[in-house]
Amino acid sequence: MKKILAYCLLLFMAFPCINAFSETEVLVSQAPFESAVVEKSEAVDDSYFDDAVFIGDSLTLSIESRNILKNAKFIADIGASISNAANSRIFPYEGKQYKLTELLQKFQPKKIYILIGTNTLTFSRSGDAIEPYKELLNVIIKDFPQAPVYMITIPTFRNHAIKKLHPKYPDFTNKRILDFNKRLVELAETAHCHLLDLCSELITSAKDIQPKKEYMAPDGYHLSMAGAELFKDFIKTHTVGN
């Protein structure tokens, strides 16, 4: 028995990468990169987004529905989690369902924006949600290594929206969202992607971390028209490489 245990220990030492708890290795974007967090810059024209793609869930769809970025492409689906966005054939386009990679190949974007995570964070801790986000980044960077990738922080919820979710997701809070957003900054640095802190633009104050009422739809977590307009102004004044 001792010989068997010793042999198993040697195997473990020889193959340390065989670890159920190992983290996903992140690919590095080859697009020009100086720092993760994008500072305010001169506003670009709407045409800047003509060759852009926005990837996400119903929050992203709420922006598309406002028709504020008329020529941009949206790859989004109601209820999409970070994990199934990376791997599953869930995205509707012209009456069919596609994988993310299939639509990216079809659209051939020059800029890629990611706004996703709300559905995953309702049931997952922020640290657990980062792992599938790494996989999502890898799927994108592998096929489009030269395209700048803008990672957008997740907006917090209005308090009444969190209260409504509490019976089903008692552990979900705005602090979980803020912690996830902090982790996005670190991930953006590692992957040489760009971080757009939309969440901070929407928050009421340092003491009240829910978004301002006028920026949110009545449900408390999708963007209103005013919120969508703020989103547009924000991404127009936070770009790189112009």
Side-chain angles (χ1 to χ4, degrees):
M1 179 63 72
K2 290 183 179 180
K3 288 184 177 180
I4 293 174
L5 290 174
Y7 180 69
C8 290
L9 180 60
L10 286 172
L11 285 176
F12 178 79
M13 295 174 64
F15 300 100
C17 60
I18 303 176
N19 185 345
F21 301 99
S22 61
E23 293 187 354
T24 303
E25 185 175 350
V26 183
L27 296 179
V28 177
S29 172
Q30 300 305 305
F33 178 81
E34 292 184 4
S35 62
V37 179
V38 180
E39 301 294 336
K40 190 171 183 179
S41 57
E42 185 176 349
V44 297
D45 294 332
D46 286 6
S47 60
Y48 178 86
F49 305 100
D50 289 354
D51 55 7
V53 158
F54 291 80
I55 299 167
D57 49 31
S58 61
L59 179 60
T60 307
L61 286 176
S62 74
I63 297 168
E64 181 185 20
S65 69
R66 305 300 181 180
N67 201 30
I68 57 171
L69 298 167
K70 298 183 185 300
N71 296 323
K73 296 291 192 299
F74 287 80
I75 305 176
D77 185 55
I78 295 173
S81 68
I82 301 170
S83 180
N84 63 26
N87 300 302
S88 302
R89 185 168 279 107
I90 62 167
F91 295 112
Y93 180 71
E94 295 183 344
K96 297 181 179 180
Q97 300 293 115
Y98 291 87
K99 285 186 175 183
L100 172 62
T101 51
E102 294 170 334
L103 288 180
L104 286 175
Q105 290 299 331
K106 184 182 291 288
F107 297 150
Q108 291 294 307
K110 301 299 182 184
K111 303 116 183 172
I112 299 171
Y113 289 80
I114 308 172
L115 177 56
I116 195 169
T118 298
N119 297 307
T120 301
L121 288 173
T122 56
F123 59 84
S124 294
R125 294 175 299 181
S126 57
D128 295 332
I130 282 294
E131 286 303 306
Y133 203 108
K134 291 177 182 178
E135 186 177 359
L136 176 61
L137 276 184
N138 284 348
V139 166
I140 295 167
I141 294 172
K142 180 181 177 182
D143 287 350
F144 292 86
Q146 302 296 332
V149 177
Y150 292 90
M151 299 161 53
I152 306 174
T153 56
I154 305 301
T156 49
F157 283 32
R158 295 286 297 171
N159 290 340
H160 75 271
I162 293 178
K163 185 177 181 179
K164 186 175 181 179
L165 285 173
H166 186 76
K168 188 173 182 180
Y169 303 108
D171 296 328
F172 177 68
T173 65
N174 274 336
K175 289 185 178 180
R176 176 180 285 183
I177 293 177
L178 295 182
D179 185 65
F180 176 76
N181 289 338
K182 288 179 182 179
R183 293 172 186 269
L184 285 186
V185 179
E186 299 171 1
L187 180 55
E189 285 283 359
T190 301
H192 285 192
C193 295
H194 309 293
L195 195 287
L196 298 177
D197 191 8
L198 173 66
C199 179
S200 294
E201 295 293 310
L202 298 170
I203 281 178
T204 302
S205 68
K207 293 183 178 180
D208 185 1
I209 60 175
Q210 65 177 330
K212 293 179 181 178
K213 184 178 181 179
E214 61 266 30
Y215 294 144
M216 309 308 287
D219 61 22
Y221 56 93
H222 292 109
L223 295 182
S224 65
M225 188 66 207
E229 290 287 357
L230 179 143
F231 172 84
K232 180 181 177 180
D233 291 343
F234 177 65
I235 62 173
K236 286 181 67 174
T237 56
H238 291 77
T239 59
V240 296
N242 300 317

